[in-house]
């Protein structure tokens, strides 16, 4: 399928959506479907899956049908597209007869480019026949993991989607999901018959989310502590039960926080109202069961707290993924107690389905392992999704483990203890959990079954307390000397390593337990600096929020759909004072620039005049995705400093650029700043002959501080970079 010059993907990305470059695997996925092939896209939440089918939809001549199980989200997605000037519609059970008829005629006239539809509706014979008359050019299957029973959200009606290929053999399909382990992935690809080379897996790393696990003691107190540190910010608190969602919301409300509950037990109206208040930034905190969030695209959620253990890593990743869709720093906090695991184990079991139960219990155990593990949280999560995460310097810099490394563990020889423990396991038939094994070792006649009173290992562990044995058991499991089997009751089993200990005398070294107090210190020292402290003008940001809020209520949509917080922060940083400049801000496509640009320019102009500020547009790098993944967790100040540090280590600009995944120009811009502070001398970064020419050019133009640098750059030509010019300016303060 040929694409006309005007309708090329990059052009649409820039003009319609206002973004400068593609992210992750977007471009390859788009090219594949435009070529007429099927594609399978795996990308984390917030990664930008929607553009993978929205852009082809706009390149192709005809109708794109998007299958989505999330009815609640359809209207939002359609509204968001309309704000960007795109004709879109949705068809689901919320439309009445009249609306449906209207839609049919819009579809017939060819006005609609993108149609969202629920799977059960799509696969009806009546709809498929109708569709055949419409010239569909692309099918997008969103939330594709619903097709697999290995997934965590299996929906039988998704199975029917496999027939699209037979019905419309020449129409490409693009399947998308944010959550899929290896097995689910393979299953999706098989069901939809999409080949390996057309599968595009992006990194699942959400670099702007920090991950924390904290012991669940005085959970409410901990939550309050977190909320105090992030006043005015939006967040979700997930709970297992409706009752605790409500209880926490009530307590928070009584304690003066802006919080509301959300769960399936509330009246539909109440639920919708609470959700809307949250979406519109009128309520800060929502206390919810997992029923909340499926239909939520709110991009400025700054934190997600899990009060209870989620059922699996997929859910956890998806729920925490609702934080920070706008790319700004955000936090995911899990409160964990081993008791939760025991409770959940009973809950996930499905009666009369041992096979499915085994899958679910295994997934739950992996979730608990995450909480108990002492390795980097980010690394663990990514490994779960089949990805190797390469940390710089042994630390991801943004999880509790990496931020508070435990001092090197003192190890001790635990071979004898391990032998006793493992042999008690063997002799009681590998049918019990750690608690019972310890009763045998401690020789507890009251607790041990009759048939075990004569075991050789009965009472051989009286030298150690029950608590010490529990630590030993925990470490043996954690270090892989035996394992806990899935099932309703946790049973300990031997593995190859245990056999090596028992029968080949292998030595077992275990970490000595750190005193309890130090652990507690560690958890309370979790750093919670406010996350949005970027060098933007906060007062202006607040005023722009008001402008955005007014637009949103006029348009009948949520504020974040008009423009993201990230875009407002850019406005409040660079103070564009003309439509031309606004167009350069990420997130302003043609439609938005035209419709809302003026309102923002006026507000910024008024603010600048009141406060004697001038525009900072010169320091804005060419429009590009200004927060590439590597940079996202860093505040602008940090990224400057990171470049300085590497420079001070003696690295060349090109080397720093490669190491940081940035362009040499950007690095130059960073370093230029330190010429002003005297930390770098001008001659170090700009060749002498160039300095002369730059000074000449500045003089010739009678350049004054605050004026645009562009004319100087143009006068000097391509051999000179903005960074070099800026460095010279910085070296000669007026
Ligand atoms: P997902 O569906 O994968 O969760 P979305 O499609 O909702 O993610 O995209 C998340 C956010 O990122 C949206 O605000 C979207 O407009 C933005 N986005 C997507 N692609 C790009 C890009 N190439 N450059 C800048 N922003 C992008
Ligand atoms: Zn880490």
């Amino acid at each position: 399928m040929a694409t006309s010059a005007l309708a090329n993907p990059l052009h649409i990305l820039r003009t319609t959506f206002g973004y400068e470059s593609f992210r992750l695997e977007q471009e390859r996925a788009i090219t594949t479907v435009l070529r007429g092939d099927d594609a399978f896209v795996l990308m984390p939440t917030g990664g930008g899956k929607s553009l993978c089918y929205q852009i082809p939809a706009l390149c192709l001549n005809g109708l794109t049908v998007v299958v989505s199980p999330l009815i609640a989200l359809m209207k939002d997605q359609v509204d968001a597209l309309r704000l960007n000037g795109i004709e879109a519609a949705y068809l689901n059970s919320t439309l009445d007869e009249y609306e449906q008829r209207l839609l049919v005629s819009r579809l017939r006239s060819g006005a609609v480019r993108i149609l969202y539809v629920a799977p059960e509706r799509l696969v009806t014979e009546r709809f498929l026949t109708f569709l055949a008359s419409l010239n569909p050019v692309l099918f997008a299957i969103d939330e594709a993991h619903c097709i697999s029973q290995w997934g965590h959200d299996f929906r039988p009606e998704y199975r029917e989607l496999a027939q699209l290929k037979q019905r419309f053999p020449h129409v490409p399909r693009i399947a998308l999901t944010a959550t899929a382990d290896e097995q689910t992935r393979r299953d999706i690809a098989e069901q939809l018959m999409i080949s390996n080379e057309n599968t595009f897996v992006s990194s699942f790393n959400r670099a702007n989310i920090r991950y924390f696990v904290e012991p669940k003691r005085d959970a409410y107190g901990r939550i309050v502590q977190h909320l105090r540190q992030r006043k005015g910010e939006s967040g979700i608190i997930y709970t297992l039960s409706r009752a605790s969602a409500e209880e926490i919301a009530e307590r928070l409300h009584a304690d003066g926080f802006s919080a509301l509950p959300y769960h399936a037990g509330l009246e539909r109206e109440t639920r919708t109202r609470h959700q809307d208040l949250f979406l519109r930034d009128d309520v800060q905190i929502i206390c919810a069961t997992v029923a909340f969030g499926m239909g939520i695209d709110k991009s400025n959620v700054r934190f997600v707290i899990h009060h209870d253990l989620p059922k699996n890593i997929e859910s956890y990743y998806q729920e925490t993924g609702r934080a920070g869709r706008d790319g700004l720093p955000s936090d995911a906090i899990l409160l964990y107690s081993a008791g939760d695991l025991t409770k959940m184990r009973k809950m996930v079991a499905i009666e009369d389905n041992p096979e499915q139960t085994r899958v679910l219990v295994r997934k739950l155990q992996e979730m608990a392992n995450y909480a108990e593990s002492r390795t980097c949280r980010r690394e663990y999560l990514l490994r779960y999704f089949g990805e190797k995460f390469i940390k710089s310097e042994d630390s991801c810099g943004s999880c509790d483990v990496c931020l508070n490394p435990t001092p090197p563990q003192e190890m001790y020889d635990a071979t004898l203890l391990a032998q006793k423990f493992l042999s008690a396991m063997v002799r009681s038939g590998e049918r019990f959990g750690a608690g019972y094994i310890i009763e045998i070792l401690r020789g507890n006649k009251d607790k041990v079954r009759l048939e075990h009173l004569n075991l050789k290992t009965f009472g051989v562990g009286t030298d150690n307390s029950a608590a010490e044995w529990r630590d030993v058991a925990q470490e043996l499991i954690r270090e892989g000397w035996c394992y806990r089997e899935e099932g309703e009751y946790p049973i300990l089993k031997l593995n190859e390593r245990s056999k090596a200990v028992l029968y080949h005398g292998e030595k077992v070294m275990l970490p000595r337990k750190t005193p309890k107090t130090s652990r507690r210190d560690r958890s309370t020292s979790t750093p919670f600096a406010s996350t949005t402290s970027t060098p933007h003008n906060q007062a202006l940001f607040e005023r722009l929020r008001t402008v955005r809020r007014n637009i949103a209520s006029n348009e009948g949509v949520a504020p974040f759909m008009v423009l993201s917080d990230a875009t407002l922060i850019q406005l409040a940083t660079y103070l564009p004072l003309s439509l031309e400049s606004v167009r350069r801000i990420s997130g302003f496509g043609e439609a938005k620039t035209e419709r809302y640009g003026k309102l923002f320019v006026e507000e910024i102009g008024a603010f600048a005049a009141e406060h004697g500020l001038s525009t900072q547009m010169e320091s804005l790098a060419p429009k590009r995705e200004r927060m590439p993944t590597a940079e996202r967790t860093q505040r602008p100040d940090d990224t400057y400093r990171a470049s300085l540090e590497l420079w001070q280590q003696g690295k060349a600009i090109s080397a720093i650029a490669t190491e940081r995944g940035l362009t040499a120009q950007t690095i130059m811009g960073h370093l230029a700043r330190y010429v002003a502070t005297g930390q770098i001398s001008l001659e170090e970064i700009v060749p002498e002959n160039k300095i002369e020419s730059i000074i000449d050019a500045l003089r010739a133009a009678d350049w004054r501080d605050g004026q645009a640098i562009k004319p100087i750059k143009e006068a000097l030509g391509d051999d000179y970079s903005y960074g070099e010019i800026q460095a010279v300016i910085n070296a000669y303060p007026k």
Side-chain angles (χ1 to χ4, degrees):
M1 250 164 270
T3 56
S4 71
L6 253 185
N8 94 35
L10 187 61
H11 182 78
I12 289 179
L13 177 75
R14 291 186 173 158
T15 56
T16 305
F17 295 95
Y19 301 131
E20 187 59 13
S21 51
F22 284 111
R23 262 187 201 166
L24 304 170
E25 294 276 9
Q26 280 177 332
E27 189 167 17
R28 294 213 300 152
I30 291 169
T31 318
T32 304
V33 291
L34 286 180
R35 202 170 58 213
D37 286 331
D38 297 331
F40 180 18
V41 175
L42 293 120
M43 224 184 240
T45 309
K49 283 183 290 300
S50 322
L51 289 190
C52 294
Y53 59 80
Q54 289 170 353
I55 289 187
L58 299 180
C59 292
L60 297 166
N61 236 331
L63 177 72
T64 288
V65 179
V66 185
V67 190
S68 166
L70 310 175
I71 291 183
L73 206 58
M74 289 183 185
K75 185 175 178 309
D76 283 358
Q77 273 164 329
V78 168
D79 284 344
L81 285 167
R82 285 194 189 144
L83 290 178
N84 277 321
I86 301 161
E87 277 292 323
Y90 61 89
L91 176 58
N92 62 33
S93 49
T94 64
L95 296 188
D96 62 29
E97 193 136 340
Y98 175 73
E99 291 169 317
Q100 293 199 21
R101 242 179 298 140
L102 211 63
L103 174 59
V104 166
S105 67
R106 275 179 72 207
L107 287 167
R108 285 231 166 85
S109 76
V112 178
R113 302 299 293 272
I114 302 179
L115 174 72
Y116 287 85
V117 50
E120 59 275 14
R121 175 69 66 113
L122 174 68
V123 296
T124 59
E125 192 48 50
R126 196 161 153 229
F127 188 79
L128 287 170
T129 313
F130 172 58
L131 198 56
S133 72
L134 289 180
N135 181 31
V137 286
L138 175 64
F139 288 109
I141 303 173
D142 208 1
E143 311 292 336
H145 57 276
C146 294
I147 208 169
S148 170
Q149 58 174 332
W150 302 115
H152 59 99
D153 196 14
F154 174 50
R155 294 175 190 232
E157 64 273 18
Y158 254 68
R159 291 266 156 157
E160 308 278 318
L161 294 175
Q163 59 171 302
L164 285 176
K165 191 70 191 165
Q166 284 93 50
R167 293 288 289 240
F168 301 92
H170 303 299
V171 180
R173 300 159 306 154
I174 178 167
L176 313 106
T177 177
T179 61
D181 58 32
E182 194 51 42
Q183 192 176 24
T184 315
R185 271 175 207 184
R186 254 183 283 130
D187 197 23
I188 298 171
E190 261 168 42
Q191 303 255 350
L192 294 175
M193 294 185 297
I194 302 180
S195 70
N196 243 344
E197 75 254 33
N198 289 347
T199 299
F200 303 101
V201 187
S202 293
S203 170
F204 271 60
N205 188 18
R206 291 288 310 274
N208 62 319
I209 299 183
R210 304 191 295 178
Y211 297 93
F212 299 99
V213 178
E214 299 180 352
K216 189 171 172 180
R217 260 180 265 117
D218 180 24
Y220 181 76
R222 295 260 0 127
I223 290 175
V224 166
Q225 211 172 327
H226 286 309
L227 299 182
R228 291 233 162 90
Q229 277 155 324
R230 37 201 55 251
K231 283 211 181 81
E233 297 187 349
S234 279
I236 307 173
I237 300 169
Y238 278 111
T239 63
L240 183 61
S241 72
R242 298 172 180 183
S244 46
E246 224 152 287
E247 187 198 313
I248 294 174
E250 244 161 60
R251 277 181 82 175
L252 287 175
H253 185 74
D255 286 338
F257 292 96
S258 158
L260 283 176
Y262 184 105
H263 57 75
L266 291 175
E267 299 255 324
R268 198 192 160 100
E269 251 168 61
T270 316
R271 231 183 317 157
T272 317
R273 185 160 39 87
H274 290 186
Q275 174 168 320
D276 282 349
L277 286 167
F278 181 65
L279 293 182
R280 282 161 217 278
D281 287 340
D282 290 334
V283 156
Q284 253 78 59
I285 303 152
I286 208 101
C287 303
T289 60
V290 292
F292 182 78
M294 271 313 208
I296 300 301
D297 238 348
K298 183 176 163 71
S299 65
N300 61 343
V301 174
R302 290 275 77 85
F303 60 92
V304 171
I305 300 178
H306 278 80
H307 178 267
D308 301 292
L309 188 67
K311 290 186 176 136
N312 49 57
I313 302 262
E314 283 92 341
S315 307
Y316 183 63
Y317 206 68
Q318 191 170 51
E319 284 147 23
T320 55
R322 295 190 179 123
R325 271 174 188 258
D326 52 13
L328 298 175
S330 308
D331 291 318
I333 301 145
L334 169 65
L335 302 180
Y336 175 74
S337 78
D340 272 4
L341 173 62
T342 317
K343 193 165 69 183
M344 293 293 294
R345 207 178 264 125
K346 298 200 178 83
M347 288 192 50
V348 299
I350 297 177
E351 218 176 311
D352 299 334
N353 194 340
E355 198 190 348
Q356 193 80 13
T357 300
R358 210 165 318 129
V359 173
L360 297 176
V361 171
R362 193 193 71 221
K363 286 183 178 289
L364 172 66
Q365 185 63 50
E366 275 158 337
M367 185 64 230
N369 290 350
Y370 166 82
E372 287 176 13
S373 139
R374 280 196 228 110
T375 53
C376 168
R377 311 285 177 204
R378 189 177 299 282
E379 194 177 326
Y380 185 101
L381 290 171
L382 291 175
R383 187 159 13 98
Y384 184 83
F385 292 108
E387 197 178 315
K388 188 156 170 47
F389 174 62
I390 303 178
K391 287 180 291 187
S392 59
E393 294 165 16
D394 245 29
S395 161
C396 79
S398 48
C399 79
D400 58 329
V401 178
C402 291
L403 289 170
N404 304 294
T406 24
Q409 286 266 326
E410 195 193 328
M411 307 293 275
Y412 71 101
D413 186 341
T415 312
L416 192 64
L417 292 172
Q419 283 169 346
K420 287 180 180 173
F421 190 91
L422 296 173
S423 96
M425 274 169 58
V426 181
R427 287 174 201 275
S428 55
E430 292 178 64
R431 289 187 291 122
F432 301 92
Y436 187 76
I437 303 293
I438 293 170
E439 301 295 2
I440 298 178
L441 292 166
R442 300 260 313 141
N444 192 341
K445 287 202 191 69
D446 301 334
K447 293 274 173 67
V448 170
R449 297 177 180 205
L450 221 52
E451 72 256 39
H452 295 146
L453 290 177
N454 300 324
L455 292 183
K456 272 226 174 93
T457 43
F458 182 81
V460 298
T462 44
D463 287 352
N464 298 82
S465 71
E468 282 165 350
W469 274 116
R470 274 195 296 276
D471 288 342
V472 170
Q474 207 178 18
E475 292 302 337
L476 286 173
I477 297 163
R478 192 156 28 206
E479 305 282 323
W481 293 104
C482 61
Y483 71 101
R484 230 191 240 133
E485 195 184 58
E486 313 135 16
E488 195 180 341
Y489 300 102
I491 292 171
L492 293 186
K493 294 275 189 189
L494 300 183
N495 58 19
E496 289 310 310
R497 291 186 83 191
S498 2
K499 288 175 191 156
V501 177
L502 285 171
Y503 312 118
H504 307 292
E506 180 149 343
K507 197 166 152 185
V508 178
M509 298 296 289
L510 292 181
R512 206 176 282 290
K513 184 90 175 159
T514 39
K516 276 260 169 2
T517 45
S518 78
R519 279 194 153 233
R520 199 161 20 227
D521 287 350
R522 210 153 70 87
S523 69
T524 47
S525 71
T526 309
F528 272 98
S530 172
T531 44
T532 43
S533 52
T534 39
H536 64 271
N537 189 311
Q538 186 62 26
L540 176 56
F541 178 73
E542 295 301 337
R543 279 179 50 173
L544 298 177
R545 260 161 78 127
T546 311
V547 174
R548 176 176 69 174
R549 193 192 289 257
N550 292 338
I551 296 174
S553 75
N554 275 341
E555 301 272 6
V557 299
F560 68 88
M561 284 165 63
V562 175
L563 291 167
S564 72
D565 278 15
T567 299
L568 291 197
I569 284 180
Q570 282 212 6
L571 292 175
T573 306
Y574 298 107
L575 281 64
L577 293 173
S578 66
L579 279 191
E580 217 37 56
S581 309
V582 165
R583 212 182 294 278
R584 288 182 54 209
I585 300 288
S586 184
F588 273 100
E590 270 166 10
K592 288 183 182 172
T593 307
E594 214 159 281
R595 275 195 230 168
Y596 318 127
K598 196 157 160 270
L599 291 171
F600 286 99
V601 166
E602 280 170 4
E603 188 69 17
I604 296 167
F607 186 89
E610 283 162 35
H611 297 83
L613 300 172
S614 57
T615 183
Q616 300 297 313
M617 287 300 290
E618 306 86 39
S619 48
L620 179 64
K623 183 165 171 178
R624 190 163 29 86
E625 204 189 336
R626 285 187 198 88
M627 285 194 288
T629 351
E631 292 270 77
R632 286 200 173 178
T633 49
Q634 295 181 330
R635 287 183 262 140
D637 274 335
D638 294 342
T639 183
Y640 282 91
R641 217 165 298 124
S643 298
L644 175 68
E645 266 163 30
L646 293 171
W647 173 260
Q648 286 170 337
Q649 287 165 21
K651 294 193 171 139
I653 291 179
S654 57
I656 301 174
T658 316
E659 182 167 341
R660 303 205 54 212
L662 300 169
T663 64
Q665 267 219 36
T666 305
I667 303 297
M668 185 66 206
H670 292 171
L671 299 182
R673 176 192 251 205
Y674 295 102
V675 172
T677 60
Q679 278 156 287
I680 296 178
S681 81
L682 179 62
E683 287 72 18
E684 282 180 273
I685 54 173
V686 186
E688 215 120 33
N689 57 339
K690 279 189 166 182
I691 297 176
E692 296 287 329
S693 317
I694 294 172
I695 292 175
D696 288 346
L698 288 167
R699 281 220 187 94
D702 194 19
W703 191 86
R704 298 257 171 265
D705 208 2
Q707 290 179 351
I709 302 180
K710 198 165 172 212
I712 309 296
K713 163 89 172 84
E714 274 163 3
L716 286 162
D718 286 348
D719 284 340
Y720 293 76
S721 71
Y722 278 102
E724 288 171 331
I725 303 170
Q726 190 65 56
V728 173
I729 293 172
N730 291 352
Y732 299 100
K734 274 57 0 142

